[in-house]
Amino acid sequence: MTYIKHKSEESMEDYLETILLLHNKNNKVRSIDIVSELGYSKPSVSIAMKGLREKGLITMDEFGYITLTKEGIEIAEKVLERHTVLSDWLIYLGVSEKTAKEDACRIEHDISEETFEILKQHCLKRN
């Protein structure tokens, strides 16, 4: 049986990955940072942050700083790993970096765990 994620789940994963990357880069993340990074509107990001809070994936303090919860970190790290491995693999195959990163972003949400693990092991062997 194939499991296909809904667009809202893909979007949630993209937001979590972006929060993780921004946190790693700047140590603090606010909604406006996400707006700037992704190019989405402020209302769209605000709605997404509310949804992530309700799911228990982020917290937001009184100053508007966003922190991933343990579960949020786990999801974000998994998505980031998939993105990194897939984009590296596509670049290795000869795809331009820009296209590889864009394609990896699409593939990372739909690839099965089995296929990803085999691909990751193959990539580790070549290094």
Side-chain angles (χ1 to χ4, degrees):
M1 184 170 135
T2 303
Y3 174 69
I4 299 175
K5 292 181 182 173
H6 296 274
K7 284 288 183 193
S8 62
E9 290 176 78
E10 290 179 19
S11 178
M12 174 196 73
E13 289 177 348
D14 287 338
Y15 277 112
L16 293 172
E17 179 183 22
T18 299
I19 293 167
L20 178 64
L21 290 170
L22 288 170
H23 183 269
N24 290 345
K25 182 178 171 184
N26 305 324
N27 205 29
K28 294 184 177 181
V29 182
R30 294 171 301 149
S31 292
I32 193 68
D33 302 320
I34 298 166
V35 167
S36 297
E37 183 71 20
L38 297 176
Y40 298 163
S41 71
K42 290 179 185 179
S44 294
V45 171
S46 179
I47 290 167
M49 293 307 103
K50 180 180 182 212
L52 293 175
R53 278 194 317 272
E54 289 172 352
K55 291 180 187 301
L57 300 173
I58 66 167
T59 60
M60 192 176 289
D61 70 16
E62 65 273 13
F63 303 107
Y65 289 103
I66 299 165
T67 304
L68 293 168
T69 63
K70 182 180 177 190
E71 185 180 0
I73 291 170
E74 289 172 4
I75 295 169
E77 287 178 341
K78 181 178 179 178
V79 173
L80 180 58
E81 178 189 35
R82 285 173 168 241
H83 188 101
T84 302
V85 169
L86 290 165
S87 59
D88 288 352
W89 174 64
L90 292 169
I91 291 167
Y92 170 77
L93 292 176
V95 177
S96 72
E97 183 176 348
K98 180 182 184 299
T99 302
K101 288 182 177 186
E102 290 169 357
D103 288 346
C105 193
R106 287 188 284 274
I107 296 168
E108 72 194 11
H109 301 291
D110 294 326
I111 192 170
S112 70
E113 191 66 34
E114 176 187 4
T115 300
F116 176 73
E117 287 302 319
I118 290 170
L119 178 63
K120 184 169 83 171
Q121 290 308 312
H122 176 75
C123 289
L124 291 173
K125 287 179 189 174
R126 72 174 165 92
N127 289 334

